[in-house]
Amino acid sequence: MKCAVFHGIHDIRIEEHPVPVPGPGEALIRVKACGVCGTDVHIYEGDKGAADTTPPTILGHEFAGVVESVGPGVTEFQAGDRVCVDPNQLCGTCYYCKSGIGHYCTGMTGIGTTTNGGFAEYCAVPVSQLYRLADHTTFAQGAMTEPLACCLHGIDLCEIKPGATVAVIGGGMIGLLMLQLAGLSGAATRILIEPVAAKRATGAALGADLCIDPFQENPAEVLAKNGIHRVDTVIECAGLPSTVAQAIDIAGNYSVVMLFGLTKPDDTVAIKPFTLFQKEITLKASFINPYTQQRALNLINAGRVDVTSMVCDPVGLDKLPAVLSDPALRAKGKYIVTTD
C-alpha cells in the first residue's frame, strides 16, 4: 500500500509498505479520507503535539473509511461498514482513566501520532475506536469527527450561557467549528476576528453576526461602535502569542477566555495579572477529545454542523509533503487527503 511516513523534521516520504493484518480485536480500514491537522504540521516542524511521535511513523489521525476485514474475535463490525476513527485509545486502568479524566491516560495509544495512522491506503485499528457513519454522511465529513470532538470538549469548558456574546479569534477550520458550536450552545451574538477576507465571508455564511479584520481595524473599537459592551467568552483559535494577548484584551468583565489554538511549545505571552483580577477573567485551555467523539458524530450525522465549507479540494497522498511544508497552501483552508 501507499503511505506517508514521517522520518524526522521536514522529512515525510511517500512509500510502499505491506498492508497491515488486523489482529485480535482489530479491523482493517480502507482509508477514504484523512484530514491534515495543525498537529501534523507541528510534528513535521519538529514540535511536540498532543503526544511524542517517534519516527518512522505513518501520520494522520483524522480519518474515515470502510472496514475491509476484521481480526479474530471481532463481531461488532464487518466488511463494508462505513466508519470514522477516534485516534486516542485509552488504557482504561491507569490513575487518570479510573478518575474519569482519561485524556491524560499514561498508557494512551495515539493512532497517527504514536502508532501508524491514516495517511495510508489501509490502517489496522482497534474496533473500540470505530464509530459508524450515517449512510448519507460522506467520508470527508466523517474524517472531521475528531477535530469536531476536540472542539466540543473546548466548548463544554467555555460554559456558554444562552444569550451570551462570543468572539472567536481565527477563522480556520477550528475557529469556524467553534463559531457554529457557540451558536448551538445558545450564543446570541457571534463575532469572528480573522484577517483573511475569504475566511470572514465563510464565517458570515456560517452565522457570524460581526466579522472583523484585525489587520485593518481595532477590534475593541469595532465592538464599541457596534454597541457590544461586553464579550462573555473569547475563544482563541489561532495559536499565536499576539492573538492570546488580543483575546485577553477584548474579553469583557467576568468572562472566560479559552486558549484553544495550539501554540509552539516554547511560546510565551506577557500577561498582567492585574488585568485578570480587574476584569475577573477565567483563563482556560482544552486538551484533545475526551468522551466527545460520539457527540461530534451525532452532530455531523444530523447535519447540525457544517464541516465542509472550509475544506479545500481533496488532494492525494503525493501532495501531502507540499501541504505540510507550504504555509501558503495551508492558508487556503482545510486539506483532506483521499486515496481514491
Side-chain angles (χ1 to χ4, degrees):
M1 68 173 186
K2 184 186 290 187
C3 54
V5 184
F6 172 71
H7 285 273
I9 298 175
H10 297 164
D11 186 2
I12 190 162
R13 307 173 199 171
I14 307 303
E15 300 176 351
E16 292 284 339
H17 282 203
V19 174
V21 176
E26 293 185 336
L28 180 66
I29 307 303
R30 178 159 47 93
V31 180
K32 304 293 285 186
C34 186
V36 180
C37 177
T39 294
D40 297 315
V41 178
H42 278 270
I43 294 169
Y44 177 79
E45 295 289 344
D47 297 327
K48 181 178 179 178
D52 291 317
T53 300
T54 303
T57 299
I58 299 171
L59 300 183
H61 59 276
E62 303 176 350
F63 63 105
V66 178
V67 175
E68 184 79 4
S69 62
V70 297
V74 174
T75 58
E76 310 96 308
F77 292 89
Q78 60 185 1
D81 287 344
R82 303 170 73 254
V83 296
C84 67
V85 176
D86 179 351
N88 300 311
Q89 183 185 20
L90 312 182
C91 76
T93 59
C94 73
Y95 169 85
Y96 293 103
C97 285
K98 289 185 175 182
S99 299
I101 46 177
H103 52 315
Y104 289 101
C105 171
T106 56
M108 183 186 297
T109 298
I111 301 168
T113 51
T114 67
T115 191
N116 289 336
F119 287 142
E121 293 179 305
Y122 294 92
C123 182
V125 176
V127 295
S128 63
Q129 304 311 110
L130 298 182
Y131 293 76
R132 284 187 172 82
L133 305 181
D135 291 342
H136 59 268
T137 297
T138 68
F139 293 113
Q141 290 173 318
M144 295 301 95
T145 307
E146 190 273 346
L148 181 59
C150 291
C151 289
L152 269 176
H153 179 51
I155 212 78
D156 288 346
L157 292 171
C158 288
E159 301 181 61
I160 296 169
K161 295 179 175 63
T165 296
V166 177
V168 175
I169 300 177
M173 177 78 183
I174 294 301
L176 294 176
L177 292 178
M178 283 297 203
L179 183 76
Q180 295 178 78
L181 291 177
L184 291 176
S185 300
T189 303
R190 289 174 288 170
I191 302 146
L192 177 65
I193 301 174
E194 164 59 51
V196 178
K199 293 180 179 180
R200 293 197 304 274
T202 302
L206 292 174
D209 301 286
L210 178 63
C211 295
I212 301 172
D213 179 353
F215 289 1
Q216 302 298 324
E217 306 169 286
N218 182 310
E221 292 178 358
V222 174
L223 294 175
K225 287 178 182 177
N226 282 272
I228 298 171
H229 304 292
R230 174 174 171 245
V231 178
D232 303 279
T233 305
V234 184
I235 308 174
E236 194 286 323
C237 298
L240 301 171
S242 59
T243 49
V244 171
Q246 184 181 68
I248 295 170
D249 181 58
I250 67 170
N253 296 329
Y254 194 64
S255 63
V256 171
V257 173
M258 165 56 67
L259 305 181
F260 196 83
L262 185 61
T263 65
K264 287 183 173 294
D266 294 329
D267 281 347
T268 58
V269 180
I271 294 175
K272 295 179 180 178
F274 186 81
T275 298
L276 304 183
F277 153 75
Q278 189 177 42
K279 296 168 75 173
E280 199 169 345
I281 291 173
T282 300
L283 287 179
K284 292 191 175 186
S286 176
F287 182 65
I288 67 173
N289 64 332
Y291 318 112
T292 51
Q293 187 86 0
Q294 185 63 64
R295 287 170 57 203
L297 184 56
N298 291 346
L299 288 170
I300 292 172
N301 283 339
R304 298 296 304 278
V305 176
D306 182 338
V307 294
T308 57
S309 289
M310 59 290 287
V311 173
C312 300
D313 291 335
V315 297
L317 275 170
D318 291 333
K319 185 75 171 179
L320 179 62
V323 172
L324 291 175
S325 64
D326 189 347
L329 276 178
R330 296 196 303 274
K332 295 179 180 179
K334 177 78 175 185
Y335 280 89
I336 294 181
V337 173
T338 62
T339 57
D340 290 336

